[in-house]
Amino acid sequence: MSFDGSFTHAMTKELNKTLSNGRVSKINQPYDNEVIMTIRANHNNYPLLMSANPNYARVQVTRVPYNNPSVPTNFTMTLRKHLSGSILSKVSQYNNDRVMTFHFITRNEIGDLKEMLLIVEIMARHSNIILVDKQDDMRIIDAIKRIGADKNRYRTLLPGDQYITPPKQEMFNPFEASDEDINNIKDLESKYPNQEMLANNIQYITQGLSKDTSLYLANYLHQDGDIKFLFNKFFEKFNQPKPTIIFNDKNKESFSVYPFTNNEKNIYFNSLSELLDKYYASRAQRDRVKEQGGTLIHIAKNELKKNRNKKKKLQKTLDNTKKADEYRTKGEILTTYLYKIERGMKSVELPNFYDKNKLVKIKLSNQLSPSENAQKYFKRYQKSKNAVIYVNEQLKKTNDEIEYFDNVLSQIELANPADLVDIKTEFKNEGYLNKNHNQNSSKRNKRQKISQPESFTSDNGIKILVGKNNLQNDKLTLKDADKRDTWLHTQNIHGSHVIIKSFDPDTKTIQQAAELAAYFSKARDSATVPVDYVKVKHVRKPNGAKPGLVIYEGQKTVFVTPKESDIKHLKENNN
């Protein structure tokens, strides 16, 4: 089920129950197109996420942690100006459409009460969050996405414009169905015994139904019983939801207000918001990382492409240098038989005294003397010999670069948005991020503080630290860790440095730390992952090595299977 009009109906009821008469205490915009408004209600703080993300547009209370940008956006400042300290009187829905309105009671400049509306339109790439002054003839104060006449001729969403609701559809609201509407449903049910055909036709006349919801409804109506009773009973479930992550026959998961399909793998939640946190946590995070780390990903991929092309050329050059001995041999043969060569010859066949005097054909330049031809081969030999040393050095550097950027891309793939700050700093330090890439840099280059590694606790109460990027890894392993602590890393696989803060960790703690190392690596989805562990004193960084690169010796190896549930358990042990 998608976040359709019917899901919006259920979420509106949940938010009204949870947030009504709450006071706005904080307003932040941690990500593009997403606002988190903390509302204090019933002696609890509720972080309300309003997302106009094209892929994950939704509204919910979220418990997923976030980091605020150092400088708030203009839209954030506008919301703070008009809504900070205001009271949320209610949440309403426009018909059964994907439009939720948050009604705030606040005071104007002279202290009079006024109503401000924050309207969230959940419409895929057209999603938006709009602040409207209800008393001023529905005047738009601002929108998270400003839409001019060049993008939408029906309605503009610009400061000063009058807010116009999305075009009304000629459909009926299933939560306010009349007898005529029910009769139309009855006609469709008798006309279309096929579930998909019935679902398509119901969706055509009923407002706010996604394809999934329509299919669930069509299947429900095909039961024995009165159509009116079945129809109303189906939509009553949206008023008394049982939030569920549903798994279909192909093991594909989706979220739903109610477990309309029975599967032993279905997961149930206490609230719709809790359901969405679980369903969207990793999906939305990957999208945010791609969005915020777009420049870093672009740089890494470009550098990878450049170095892979360079490696091919160097390899070709190295292959050519294998002829070096052949050039030396021909030079020596020419020197030995100079008396048999005349100026103007283009080639000559001479006995090769290195190969049982077999005749070898040697090309000559007719513009050079016999001696000059011999010297030409010796020069080519010397050049090739020198090239071998240079090319091997360059090949090593190029392979190191490829390894480095492969590792960085793996880290970005596993990163939280907050982890990107360290990777950005690393690229600056290494000279990969120039002024053109760094649009938000200030004139003064401030020293960026490296963020803290992620902390976990084993079942035996021992702290385990996990570096999430190269700068964290270097600081954790080479500066912060005690030489007697235990260090772990996936064997020959890109991943995090893991430190067990114990001089003599037990077997279970080592096992759990190894699971962390495997989970925060490129082998996260593998069944069996080899993880090396050794005392920190046996880990060192080679001179001139890239960030995050270390070498170690005397290690032992344990094999583990990383599971998200186990990692979550270790995180909860911190509390």
Side-chain angles (χ1 to χ4, degrees), residues 189 192-195 198 217-224 230:
E189 195 276 334
Y192 299 105
N194 178 274
Q195 183 181 343
L198 177 58
L217 175 58
N219 183 58
Y220 206 81
L221 293 177
H222 277 153
Q223 299 179 83
D224 293 333
L230 292 172

Side-chain angles (χ1 to χ4, degrees), residues 21-27 37-40 79-89 104-107 113-114:
N21 299 317
R23 183 180 295 275
V24 177
S25 61
K26 293 179 185 177
I27 301 174
M37 182 179 292
T38 303
I39 297 178
R40 179 77 176 173
L79 292 181
R80 288 176 180 175
K81 176 183 176 182
H82 291 278
L83 299 181
S84 288
S86 62
I87 301 297
L88 176 62
S89 61
F104 294 96
I105 304 301
T106 184
R107 293 185 181 275
L113 291 175
K114 64 182 295 188

